[in-house]
């Protein structure tokens, strides 16, 4: 390697480090700004709920506090995992082992939040494919969701934010919203953000209207349980920036209504 190449390699590494710190800072500051200035208070409802998570850990990060609060008060909560999570930071393991491990982690995390195994559903779509399903596969999946909604008859449905900047997350929102429309049911739809704030501040793609309809739910009384549930995901947590994870340990959870 030439000296010029070594210098360029150092520059590239510095860019990555600086970019990571910028994302850590700006994502957390944006979250705090929305909590303090742009969100309205949200009171926990007694409505039964169904949570749709693209991958095993999204449910806990995005609305683990809401789940724990509802279960603490005896409100029914069902959790549906859309994909098998096979591509989650586990390159050294066989695919079947990864899928099995992530299911076990999800069951342990949800047990900490008060959700029994009987209330957990795995739809087992291939991780990373929700946005590129064939028309037939997409409609089959929507019909599965319709049946779940009609059988469960929830008062609230939780999905990732419509602009969560992750293909599986945005596809989950679209699939569930379409299923609700096809079911003819009247339910309250709440969007939970995971990746939406984690953007390069130099090429920020969110617009003001994307952050409209923000509500903050106080979860301080169950923060320890949410923390315990997050730490259950040991296959995932080490691969995530502590700066990215920081806001998920907040005394508030954010939700967006349309």
């Amino acid at each position: 390697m030439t000296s010029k190449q070594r210098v360029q390699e150092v520059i590239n590494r510095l860019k990555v480090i600086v970019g990571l710190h910028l994302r850590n800072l700006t994502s957390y500051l944006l979250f705090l700004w929305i909590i303090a200035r742009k969100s309205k208070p949200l009171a926990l409802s007694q409505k039964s709920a169904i949570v749709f998570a693209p991958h095993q850990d999204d449910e806990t990060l995005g609305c683990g506090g809401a789940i724990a609060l509802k279960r603490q008060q005896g409100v029914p909560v069902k959790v549906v995992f859309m994909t098998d999570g096979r591509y989650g930071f586990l390159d050294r393991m066989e695919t079947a082992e990864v899928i099995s491990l992530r299911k076990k982690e999800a069951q342990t995390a949800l047990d900490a939040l008060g959700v029994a195994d009987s209330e957990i559903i795995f739809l087992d779509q291939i991780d990373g494919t929700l946005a590129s399903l064939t028309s037939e596969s997409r409609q089959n999946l929507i019909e599965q969701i319709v049946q779940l909604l009609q059988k469960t008859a929830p008062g609230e449905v939780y999905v990732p934010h419509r602009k969560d900047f992750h293909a599986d997350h945005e596809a989950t929102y679209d699939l569930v919203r379409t299923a609700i429309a096809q079911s003819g049911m009247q339910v309250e739809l709440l969007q939970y953000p995971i990746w939406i704030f984690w953007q390069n501040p130099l090429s920020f793609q969110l617009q003001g209207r994307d952050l409209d309809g923000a509500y903050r739910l106080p979860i301080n009384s169950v923060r320890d349980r949410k923390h315990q549930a997050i730490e259950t995901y040991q296959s995932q947590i080490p691969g995530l920036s502590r700066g990215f994870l920081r806001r998920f340990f907040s005394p508030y959870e954010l939700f967006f209504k349309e």
Side-chain angles (χ1 to χ4, degrees), residues 63-106:
C63 46
I67 293 171
L69 286 171
K70 281 184 177 289
R71 291 303 305 130
Q72 193 175 65
Q73 297 183 23
V75 179
V77 177
K78 191 177 292 290
V79 179
V80 180
F81 292 103
M82 301 291 285
T83 76
D84 56 19
R86 66 177 64 191
Y87 296 125
F89 307 126
L90 294 166
D91 294 338
R92 298 185 188 88
M93 296 176 64
E94 296 294 329
T95 298
E97 293 178 299
V98 175
I99 294 171
S100 176
L101 174 60
R102 296 202 68 180
K103 285 185 176 180
K104 289 176 182 176
E105 287 180 338

Side-chain angles (χ1 to χ4, degrees), residues 117-130:
D117 286 356
S118 59
E119 302 304 312
I120 305 172
I121 297 170
F122 297 95
L123 296 184
D124 289 326
Q125 296 294 308
I126 296 175
D127 191 357
T129 68
L130 293 182

